[in-house]
Amino acid sequence: MGVVIRRADAGDRDLVVRLLDEAFLDDPVSAWVFPGEEYRRRTHRRLMGAFTDIVLGEGWIDLSDDLAACALWLSVPGGEHGEDEGPAELRQAVDPGNERVELIGRLTAGVHPGERAHLYLWMIGVAPERQGEGLGTALIEHVLQRCDREGLPAYLEASNVRSRALYERLGFAVMGDLDLPDGPRMWPMWREPRG
């Protein structure tokens, strides 16, 4: 039985935020951005809400019809991308005293390739009790089929070893490492379209 996928809308915002919050609460990068479990439990959801709002406004969110998984995508045009104030604004909106909210945005923007148009998988979240069932794979493959039809590359940053292995199985290749200061490693990954 295949996974039924639909496009999320503004009415799905709270569900998407909850899914992302639950899926990434114990992720190494989230733990670095929000050190301390109690602090993370109080604050992490605000960052997931900001990410959701950005993608609802500028991209799209795919949602499994059983409401257990979501994928946030942006279409990135080719050409050089300059530094913007997005990470600083995000920090002010989410957690003004936490410089890591801004730093993670600047670091990921710094490694994000900008020469060619591509689709960017910003985040994918699966409810913890449903992880390992293939929902994330189905959501990603749904868009990778479009990439292959349209000749578009895809890009993402893997935030843990498990997700990196999944993305490699789906044809993404590691472009290098992104070591967070006194924190975990992330892996920028690129996938060329398949013909």
Side-chain angles (χ1 to χ4, degrees):
M1 183 168 130
V3 175
V4 177
I5 298 169
R6 69 173 176 85
R7 186 73 51 100
D9 60 29
D12 297 306
R13 181 197 183 273
D14 291 343
L15 167 69
V16 170
V17 172
R18 180 183 55 76
L19 277 172
L20 294 174
D21 185 45
E22 291 174 359
F24 284 91
L25 197 60
D26 295 322
D27 184 79
V29 174
S30 290
W32 177 82
V33 173
F34 302 104
E37 186 175 342
E38 183 57 37
Y39 171 52
R40 191 164 52 258
R41 290 195 182 286
R42 283 193 325 266
T43 314
H44 186 258
R45 181 178 289 262
R46 291 199 307 255
L47 183 61
M48 299 302 105
F51 288 167
T52 299
D53 292 340
I54 290 167
V55 177
L56 279 172
E58 299 175 16
W60 77 94
I61 300 174
D62 286 334
L63 188 62
S64 65
D65 204 38
D66 64 2
L67 309 180
C70 61
L72 285 65
W73 291 92
L74 293 174
S75 181
V76 178
E80 293 300 315
H81 298 287
E83 181 91 8
D84 64 40
E85 293 305 311
E89 291 172 359
L90 185 66
R91 174 183 174 182
Q92 288 304 311
V94 170
D95 193 6
N98 185 347
E99 66 184 24
R100 289 181 177 182
V101 172
E102 181 176 345
L103 183 57
I104 190 73
R106 293 201 185 282
L107 290 171
T108 55
V111 298
H112 194 134
E115 302 79 35
R116 293 172 57 199
H118 60 276
L119 297 185
Y120 174 37
L121 177 58
W122 187 324
M123 299 186 87
I124 185 163
V126 179
E129 68 276 8
R130 300 290 305 278
Q131 292 176 6
E133 295 180 16
L135 294 171
T137 298
L139 284 171
I140 297 169
E141 286 180 334
H142 174 73
V143 173
L144 293 182
Q145 290 170 4
R146 172 185 165 199
C147 288
D148 293 344
R149 280 192 313 273
E150 298 179 11
L152 279 171
Y155 173 77
L156 55 82
E157 298 102 9
S159 63
N160 62 63
V161 173
R162 182 178 178 199
S163 65
R164 174 185 160 173
L166 166 64
Y167 303 140
E168 287 176 327
R169 285 195 306 274
L170 294 172
F172 286 86
V174 173
M175 301 171 57
D177 297 335
L178 173 58
D179 291 318
L180 302 178
D182 299 316
R185 175 170 289 169
M186 296 178 72
W187 295 274
M189 302 181 77
W190 184 265
R191 181 186 181 273
E192 288 291 338
R194 297 177 175 171

